[in-house]
């Protein structure tokens, strides 16, 4: 008897990286799509922080060229924020406290947010979230990470979680000391990227995995994107994409600076175009 053909399962993992990370990821994905990579083949799109916004667009079938064009113009809803020296010191203290235990790191990061739950007004943040989302409907393949601020546990939200898409993406990007703490379902939530740059381990079980990591370096004893890329599955074909030299320069030192969006998007698109043949062959 002839065995049925097994089609490979694909996952797209989109890491955190602020507003410039959004622009860079959009550029890379648009450049790859123009070169023949079909993102609609992804059975799972896993977004963390910046990646949750981009993942919403990709999983929802939004026109990437249109989204790319939007990165090139100013958005009056964006806010120019920055992690203060005190905030960064608090992050490093949390990383030292948690060591190599992601849950302890997550809980320590949660305490930072609980001590300063609204570094910018919550209403301002919600306007930013609304302006970045291309839809408020949950795409079927989209999964979004966030951390329980009390336990430090990493959660994965999808359309069956009983959470609005706006709440999920706001939680996934709730950087302690930069953006407000998010509260829903009787819990408090902070940025899913505080315990992993990409959370690529959540793509385990897929055969082909593409990972975009705007901020690839590890921090403290938390592994960076290269180590993350080794975790999904032993037999998976994995392609990790991180900013090249031109993209690093375009993104600049502050990932939360909206004025860097155009340069980050354009550098990302050029990088994606250059990688299109390679990624298309594995995807």
């Amino acid at each position: 008897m002839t065995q049925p053909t097994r089609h490979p399962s694909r996952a797209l993992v989109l890491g955190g990286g602020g507003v410039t990370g959004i622009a860079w990821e959009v550029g890379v994905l648009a450049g790859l799509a123009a070169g023949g990579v079909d993102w609609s083949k992804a059975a799972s799109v896993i977004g963390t922080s910046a990646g949750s916004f981009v993942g919403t667009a990709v999983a929802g079938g939004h026109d990437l060229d249109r989204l790319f064009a939007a990165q090139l113009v100013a958005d009056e809803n964006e806010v120019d924020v920055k992690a203060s020296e005190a905030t960064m010191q608090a992050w490093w203290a949390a990383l030292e406290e948690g060591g190599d235990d992601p849950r302890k790191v997550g809980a320590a990061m949660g305490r930072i947010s609980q001590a300063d739950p609204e570094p910018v007004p919550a209403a301002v943040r919600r306007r930013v979230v609304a302006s970045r989302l291309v839809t408020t409907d949950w795409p079927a393949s989209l999964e979004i990470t966030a951390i329980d601020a009390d336990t430090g546990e990493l959660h994965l939200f999808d359309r069956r979680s009983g959470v609005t898409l706006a709440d999920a993406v706001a939680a996934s990007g709730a950087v302690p000391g930069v953006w407000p703490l998010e509260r829903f379902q009787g819990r408090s939530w902070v940025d899913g990227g505080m315990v992993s740059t990409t959370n690529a381990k959540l793509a385990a079980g897929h055969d082909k995995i593409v990972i975009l990591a705007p901020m690839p370096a590890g921090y403290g004893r938390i592994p960076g994107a290269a180590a993350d890329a080794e975790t999904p599955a032993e037999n998976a074909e994995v392609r990790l994409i991180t900013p090249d030299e031109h993209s690093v320069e375009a993104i600049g030192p502050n990932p939360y600076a909206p004025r860097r969006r155009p340069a980050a998007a354009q550098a990302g698109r050029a990088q994606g175009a250059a990688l299109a043949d390679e990624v298309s062959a594995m995807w």
Side-chain angles (χ1 to χ4, degrees):
M1 181 179 294
T2 302
Q3 293 293 322
T5 301
R6 180 183 181 277
H7 298 287
S9 177
R10 299 171 176 84
L12 174 62
V13 178
L14 300 168
V19 68
T20 57
I22 292 174
W24 178 79
E25 288 183 350
V26 168
V28 171
L29 293 171
L32 289 168
V37 180
D38 182 2
W39 297 120
S40 69
K41 292 181 178 181
S44 293
V45 179
I46 301 170
T48 290
S49 197
S52 67
F53 293 98
V54 182
T56 295
V58 176
H62 192 73
D63 186 337
L64 285 173
D65 285 331
R66 181 178 174 186
L67 191 59
F68 173 78
Q71 308 306 306
L72 306 182
V73 297
D75 182 347
E76 63 181 11
N77 294 295
E78 289 290 348
V79 181
D80 197 343
V81 295
K82 184 178 181 179
S84 67
E85 185 65 31
T87 293
M88 288 189 286
Q89 289 177 357
W91 292 347
W92 284 111
L95 291 166
E96 181 67 23
E97 177 184 340
D100 58 2
D101 186 332
R103 290 189 64 165
K104 290 182 179 178
V105 172
M109 292 295 180
R111 288 193 291 275
I112 296 172
S113 279
Q114 288 167 335
D116 184 15
E118 211 166 318
V120 300
V124 171
R125 171 59 173 166
R126 282 308 177 126
R127 285 198 295 272
V128 173
V129 169
S131 72
R132 293 177 181 177
L133 280 176
V134 298
T135 180
T136 56
D137 296 327
W138 268 101
S141 61
L142 179 65
E143 300 171 286
I144 292 174
T145 68
I147 296 168
D148 186 311
D150 293 309
T151 67
E153 183 179 358
L154 182 70
H155 282 249
L156 195 61
F157 296 107
D158 61 22
R159 62 176 179 164
R160 296 174 292 275
S161 299
V163 175
T164 69
L165 182 59
D167 279 348
V169 297
S172 189
V175 183
V178 175
W179 294 116
L181 181 73
E182 292 294 330
R183 296 184 176 93
F184 51 81
Q185 291 190 330
R187 310 297 300 174
S188 297
W189 305 93
V190 295
D191 193 308
M194 304 312 291
V195 297
S196 169
T197 58
T198 65
N199 291 301
K201 66 181 180 181
L202 298 173
H206 293 284
D207 305 302
K208 296 176 179 288
I209 304 166
V210 172
I211 305 169
L212 269 62
M215 299 176 69
Y219 26 87
R221 289 160 67 185
I222 297 298
D228 282 351
E230 297 175 356
T231 62
E234 184 177 344
N235 297 320
E237 190 174 1
V238 180
R239 181 61 170 91
L240 170 65
I241 302 174
T242 62
D244 61 14
E245 181 180 358
H246 297 295
S247 291
V248 169
E249 182 178 359
I251 288 169
N254 178 18
Y256 312 112
R259 66 185 180 277
R260 310 290 301 202
R261 290 166 70 234
Q266 290 169 329
R269 182 152 193 156
Q271 188 175 351
L275 295 172
D277 287 347
E278 175 189 339
V279 175
S280 183
M282 67 80 67
W283 185 251

